Amino acid sequence: MHCDLIIIGAGPAGMAAAATAAQIGLTVVVLDEQPRPGGQIYRDVDRVAPLRGDILGRDFTEGTALTAGLDHPNIHHIAGAVVWSVEEAVSVHYTRAGQSHRVTGKRILLATGALERPMPLPGWTLPGVMTVGAGQIMLKQSGLVSARAVLVGAGPLLYLLAVQMLRAGAPPLALVETQTKGDALRAIRHVLGALHGWRDLRNGLAMLYELWRGGVPRYLAATDIAIEGAAHAEALRFVSGGKAHRIAAGSVFLHHGVVPNTQAARTIGIAHRWDAGQACFAPELDVWGQTAVKTVFIAGDGARIGGAKVARVAGALAALQIAQQLGRITAPQRDQKARSLVRRLQAERAIRPFLDAAYPPMAQALSPQDNTIVCRCEEVTAGDIRRSAQLGCLGPNQAKAFCRAGMGPCQGRYCGLTVSAVLAQENMRSMGETGYFRIRSPIKPVTLAELASAEDTQGHE
Amino acid sequence: MKTVSEFHSLNASTALVSVWYRGRRLDLPEGANLAAALLAVGITSFRETPVSGAPRGPYCMMGACFDCLVTIEGVTRQACMLEVSAGLRISSLADPQGGQDAL
């Protein structure tokens, strides 16, 4: 199959880019792992919005406007497509229903979104412990809500899930929040900027009010967090307000921010730099989202964490630049269309510095105790990584050889940042100097049978 | 095996289909996310880790963590990326043929 633009990911950035490109006349293939479009934020929105839009709120149901945009003769949306290789000149391999396929194009847009920041705490590998995002996906897609849940960490997503659970008639037992008074003080200097995003501020305050009115207990500046349990999470222990607490719980949902999912970009050598404000690695891009690998663009949370509304604008901007480079619109036409988008981008981003400062990653999870598992797949502890550093291990790729961290099936998605952070602390080097895992294709498992079934490009046309 | 679910469902009753999980029959909602459907009937541990044998269940629900791995027709798959269909035969990684004799 051949097209002008291959988009990986049918979340807000991917869907907006597809619609913009298609309207200009580009042929677009959208590859997405999920059976239905929406990404994680608008997961399964077309089916779910009528069922429980009242619980999930307008910020969810408005995703139907984006999924509707995929219904265009120039867009071929391939659902259930698991991308395992991206090649800069210019093709993408994916598997679907047990067969491998290849699609070629002129440009690629990576719209692969975010991953939840790794949150290694004692007991975080127990069944019953999930990310807050996962808890929300269960509620959105499957209509399942935990009866005895504790939400742990920091950030607006914690409040959003708690409010949605409250509306669903199953409020969480408690919110155990890790942000401190110091974080609040540091956030104050961003309040003026955040006022430009006053709608987001207002929504945040409304959520806090709803939780207070609903009687959901909030514990603040929590430290020494541990999840107890033998074969399943049974309780959460923590210290807050100078007192030790223990809450019996059946589900523990963890969250302290999201970080760009950089797996695909890293396989083709796109440079990433450490973003201290967001405490994550982010790809180096120009204003349109174009990388130094000229055929590849990145938009949405995979480029920089900004949320769904930023993502859709960034996706549209990338599509405009791609259309201009492929000669479908002129530079002045591009700029004319981009002008209002850039203004929206600035407005939607206004709240972000405030949020980043008010809800930073939890200190305990950035520097876990020695006996805490960091690499879930290979069960490598923070102590194992520190010992590797003491033996002379400077970077995460060496750590793979020293202690197998990052060698399992998740390919470092849920340990990479922690491995780098522990090595950086131990070696007293910066995150930039320490670097990140080298990621290679296949970025998702592919069976030999699927490979053997690979269709030739010509055969498919 | 734990059979009381930590989750309760907001859904009106949906059509159920039979699947086989480690040799026992389960009736799950057709088309539902497989990982969510298993959690909803009280199955919380999907596999044991190859290193220490520790139990693991779904963590991310979006295809990234690989903790919800199960074996389906001899192939290791992420339960959170699959939908429930009639007759699905799900076994554990450690015993990929496990339960198939019961059929």
Side-chain angles (χ1 to χ4, degrees):
Chain A
M1 203 186 309
H2 186 81
C3 63
D4 292 319
L5 172 60
I6 307 166
I7 296 176
I8 303 174
M15 292 190 291
T20 303
Q23 282 157 17
I24 295 169
L26 276 69
T27 55
V28 182
V29 170
V30 180
L31 301 170
D32 188 59
E33 285 184 337
Q34 292 294 328
R36 284 168 295 277
Q40 301 310 327
I41 187 88
Y42 304 126
R43 181 122 157 196
D44 219 352
V45 64
D46 292 334
R47 193 181 61 83
V48 172
L51 293 178
R52 40 186 168 271
D54 52 337
I55 290 171
L56 298 171
R58 234 195 82 206
D59 281 340
F60 175 74
T61 57
E62 68 186 12
T64 53
L66 284 166
T67 55
L70 290 180
D71 185 18
H72 190 286
N74 287 345
I75 299 175
H76 186 25
H77 167 225
I78 304 176
V82 180
V83 169
W84 55 270
S85 175
V86 175
E87 288 160 12
E88 58 183 277
V90 173
S91 69
V92 175
H93 293 265
Y94 65 94
T95 54
R96 184 174 186 276
Q99 259 210 325
S100 189
H101 305 268
R102 174 170 173 256
V103 50
T104 57
K106 299 189 176 93
R107 293 288 186 279
I108 295 171
L109 174 67
L110 302 176
T112 53
L115 294 170
E116 238 149 326
R117 181 188 298 282
M119 197 162 167
L121 297 173
W124 77 308
T125 54
L126 282 168
V129 182
M130 302 171 92
T131 65
V132 166
Q136 211 195 20
I137 287 166
M138 298 272 290
L139 176 56
K140 282 182 202 166
Q141 185 183 31
S142 307
L144 293 172
V145 58
S146 173
R148 299 186 305 137
V150 181
L151 277 54
V152 183
L157 192 59
L158 229 61
Y159 304 143
L160 180 59
L161 178 60
V163 162
Q164 290 170 338
M165 291 175 72
L166 185 63
R167 289 179 197 155
L173 301 175
L175 265 62
V176 177
E177 302 181 42
T178 56
Q179 74 278 2
T180 64
K181 282 213 179 79
D183 298 329
L185 289 173
R186 274 184 290 278
I188 282 176
R189 67 192 170 98
H190 298 290
V191 163
L192 273 181
L195 288 177
H196 294 290
W198 60 272
R199 279 188 192 83
D200 298 310
L201 278 179
R202 186 190 60 189
N203 290 346
L205 291 171
M207 286 196 291
L208 287 175
Y209 175 68
E210 200 172 338
L211 291 176
W212 173 78
R213 210 184 44 187
V216 178
R218 291 176 62 203
Y219 298 88
L220 302 180
T223 59
D224 303 290
I225 297 175
I227 301 136
E228 288 182 353
H232 192 273
E234 290 164 18
L236 186 84
R237 276 190 189 282
F238 60 97
V239 174
S240 171
K243 270 190 259 172
H245 300 265
R246 181 180 188 277
I247 301 176
S251 300
V252 177
F253 295 123
L254 304 178
H255 174 83
H256 64 155
V258 295
V259 296
N261 175 4
T262 59
Q263 299 292 115
R266 287 181 182 279
T267 63
I268 44 175
I270 289 168
H272 290 68
R273 58 173 179 76
W274 179 250
D275 179 332
Q278 298 204 324
C280 62
F281 287 102
E284 288 184 8
L285 307 169
D286 73 6
V287 292
W288 303 98
Q290 191 166 25
T291 72
V293 178
K294 292 298 176 194
T295 52
V296 180
F297 286 66
I298 305 177
D301 275 358
R304 187 166 202 281
I305 301 304
K309 287 175 180 157
V310 170
R312 64 192 286 179
V313 180
L317 283 171
L320 290 177
Q321 176 70 339
I322 290 165
Q324 192 272 322
Q325 288 182 355
L326 299 184
R328 309 300 170 80
I329 53 174
T330 64
Q333 284 171 324
R334 174 200 65 192
D335 294 342
Q336 191 260 323
K337 286 173 187 282
R339 206 163 295 135
S340 66
L341 293 174
V342 170
R343 271 199 302 274
R344 262 175 65 195
L345 197 64
Q346 285 160 351
E348 298 291 1
R349 275 183 179 156
I351 187 85
R352 195 51 52 176
F354 170 77
L355 292 179
D356 292 338
Y359 301 104
M362 183 205 186
Q364 182 191 349
L366 291 182
S367 182
Q369 296 141 282
D370 274 351
N371 55 1
T372 302
I373 288 177
V374 167
C375 166
R376 300 170 62 92
C377 297
E378 296 289 333
E379 299 182 69
V380 181
T381 65
D384 294 332
I385 295 161
R386 291 197 177 98
R387 277 187 289 281
S388 300
Q390 285 151 17
L391 292 171
C393 175
L394 288 174
N397 294 298
Q398 272 181 301
K400 289 183 181 182
F402 274 91
C403 63
R404 292 197 58 81
M407 296 281 279
C410 98
Q411 296 176 310
R413 286 172 175 87
Y414 284 103
C415 74
L417 282 174
T418 318
V419 171
S420 293
V422 171
L423 288 174
Q425 292 153 15
E426 205 63 22
N427 291 316
M428 290 183 287
R429 300 205 311 164
S430 70
M431 285 296 275
E433 288 169 317
T434 304
Y436 193 80
F437 288 133
R438 205 173 298 117
I439 306 296
R440 292 193 182 86
S441 296
I443 52 173
K444 283 288 171 92
V446 51
T447 66
L448 284 174
E450 285 166 339
L451 275 182
S453 74
E455 286 190 14
D456 192 71
T457 318
Q458 279 74 29
H460 205 91
E461 276 176 333
Chain B
M1 195 178 289
K2 201 173 153 79
T3 50
V4 179
S5 177
E6 288 294 340
F7 293 88
H8 68 83
S9 174
L10 307 174
N11 298 311
S13 59
T14 45
L16 300 180
V17 293
S18 293
V19 305
W20 294 91
Y21 181 79
R22 295 192 182 191
R24 84 171 157 132
R25 204 188 90 176
L26 297 174
D27 294 322
L28 304 179
E30 185 166 27
N33 181 290
L34 177 62
L38 291 174
L39 288 172
V41 295
I43 292 168
T44 56
S45 172
F46 286 33
R47 68 182 183 108
E48 294 77 40
T49 60
V51 181
S52 73
R56 289 287 172 86
Y59 176 70
C60 77
M61 290 299 288
M62 51 182 242
C65 78
F66 292 78
D67 259 327
C68 65
L69 296 177
V70 293
T71 302
I72 291 177
E73 288 165 13
V75 180
T76 303
R77 305 285 300 273
Q78 295 170 287
C80 76
M81 301 298 284
L82 295 172
E83 293 187 344
V84 172
S85 59
L88 207 59
R89 294 175 186 190
I90 309 145
S91 48
S92 74
L93 259 57
D95 182 17
Q97 295 306 312
Q100 301 304 317
D101 298 341
L103 296 178

